[in-house]
Amino acid sequence: EVQLVESGGGLVQAGGSLRLSCAASGFTFDDYAIGWFRQAPGKEREGVSCISSSDGSTYYADSVKGRFTISSDNAKNTVYLQMNSLKPEDTAVYYCAESGDCAADFGSWGQGTQVTVSS
């Protein structure tokens, strides 16, 4: 059974940084795509970033390019999202999800971690 556990959320002032972690288990961590998504109150869920293990490709939403960095540590079965220069509009619940490819559907999801950026 695929399990994903996010951590690292919290309250931070605008301009600050947070690093989210997504600890994965239940699947082979050498052939995967892990995506980060977020959902703010009253808004639809949006894709933030994705990393593919097949070739190390990474993808970012335009709204976070240059501020967020996705990375993975296969030895720890963990994917990270380093978030710098945070803005109040980054406030949301952040989820990680697993797929075989960043362009495919994501079938397994974590429980989410809250990120709140104060102005």
Side-chain angles (χ1 to χ4, degrees), residues 35-85:
W36 283 98
F37 298 79
R38 67 186 181 186
Q39 188 165 22
K43 295 187 177 181
E44 292 188 354
R45 185 175 63 200
E46 64 170 334
V48 174
S49 183
C50 186
I51 186 166
S52 173
S53 69
S54 61
D55 60 2
S57 296
T58 57
Y59 305 90
Y60 298 94
D62 288 343
S63 58
V64 306
K65 279 181 182 176
R67 300 188 298 121
F68 290 11
T69 303
I70 192 169
S71 63
S72 64
D73 184 338
N74 287 355
K76 295 183 178 180
N77 286 15
T78 300
V79 170
Y80 304 98
L81 186 68
Q82 178 67 44
M83 307 187 296
N84 298 328
S85 303

Side-chain angles (χ1 to χ4, degrees), residues 8-14 16-18 86 91 113-119:
L11 173 63
V12 64
Q13 290 188 330
S17 298
L18 285 173
L86 283 162
T91 295
T113 185
Q114 175 72 47
V115 171
T116 303
V117 185
S118 63
S119 58

